[in-house]
């Protein structure tokens, strides 16, 4: 996907975070016992409320993720942390990043500061393109 402006860069970063979450885990889960997993509520033996199925990312999505990784890794650490925290908090959400949650994770005081730092980091990344 060609990146034309900063809004496209923001959308591309969120899509990259979604792609990263869709990738399989690095380690395979090991079986600890021969008992199958079962829900621990009173619906345990009937129909269960299964969550959404995560589809595997396509080759184009993985290529885009790899390209954006190369761009973001070249940034300084503080900008990189803010960009990936915002992208991962906005992944699979319609309302955008959770600025107060990112503020707590980064140990800062004001969500407006985090949002401003995120915009500054996006502008730096845009000029790096």
């Amino acid at each position: 996907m060609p990146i034309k402006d900063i809004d496209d860069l923001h959308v591309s970063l969120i899509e990259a975070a979604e792609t990263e979450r869709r990738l399989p885990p690095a380690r395979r889960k090991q079986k600890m016992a021969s008992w199958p997993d079962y829900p621990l509520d009173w619906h345990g033996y009937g129909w269960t409320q299964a969550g959404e199925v995560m589809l595997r990312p396509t080759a184009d999505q993985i290529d885009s993720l790899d390209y954006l990784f190369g761009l973001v890794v070249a940034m300084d650490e503080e900008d990189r942390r803010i960009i990936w925290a915002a992208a991962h908090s906005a992944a699979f959400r319609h309302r955008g990043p959770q600025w107060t949650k990112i503020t707590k994770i980064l140990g800062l005081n004001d969500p407006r500061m985090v949002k401003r730092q995120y915009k500054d980091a996006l502008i730096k990344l845009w000029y790096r393109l």
Side-chain angles (χ1 to χ4, degrees):
M1 175 176 145
I3 299 172
K4 299 177 219 166
D5 58 358
I6 294 177
D7 292 332
D8 286 344
L9 180 61
H10 172 72
V11 170
S12 297
L13 286 168
I14 292 172
E15 288 174 359
E18 290 175 357
T19 302
E20 187 177 10
R21 285 194 186 175
R22 285 182 177 147
L23 290 173
R27 283 194 245 163
R28 200 177 80 218
K29 292 181 182 179
Q30 298 293 324
K31 292 208 177 232
M32 300 302 287
S34 60
W35 291 97
D37 292 333
Y38 60 91
L40 297 175
D41 59 349
W42 65 280
H43 295 291
Y45 295 104
W47 294 95
T48 59
Q49 300 284 335
E52 290 185 19
V53 176
M54 286 290 238
L55 300 176
R56 291 183 182 161
T58 63
D60 292 335
Q61 290 173 333
I62 293 174
D63 289 342
S64 176
L65 173 68
D66 189 38
Y67 173 69
L68 286 171
F69 267 159
L71 291 176
V72 173
V73 166
M75 300 178 74
D76 47 333
E77 184 178 353
E78 185 68 26
D79 291 340
R80 187 177 5 173
R81 288 181 69 207
I82 289 174
I83 282 182
W84 278 117
H88 274 284
S89 72
F92 300 112
R93 289 192 63 199
H94 296 289
R95 296 187 65 192
Q98 299 173 341
W99 297 114
T100 54
K101 189 174 184 180
I102 297 169
T103 303
K104 290 176 185 175
I105 290 171
L106 298 178
L108 299 174
N109 296 330
D110 191 8
R112 293 173 296 183
M113 276 181 24
V114 175
K115 190 172 183 178
R116 189 177 319 122
Q117 288 177 355
Y118 174 70
K119 288 181 180 180
D120 291 342
L122 271 181
I123 291 170
K124 288 179 193 176
L125 185 60
W126 169 251
Y127 281 119
R128 191 169 291 233
L129 290 175

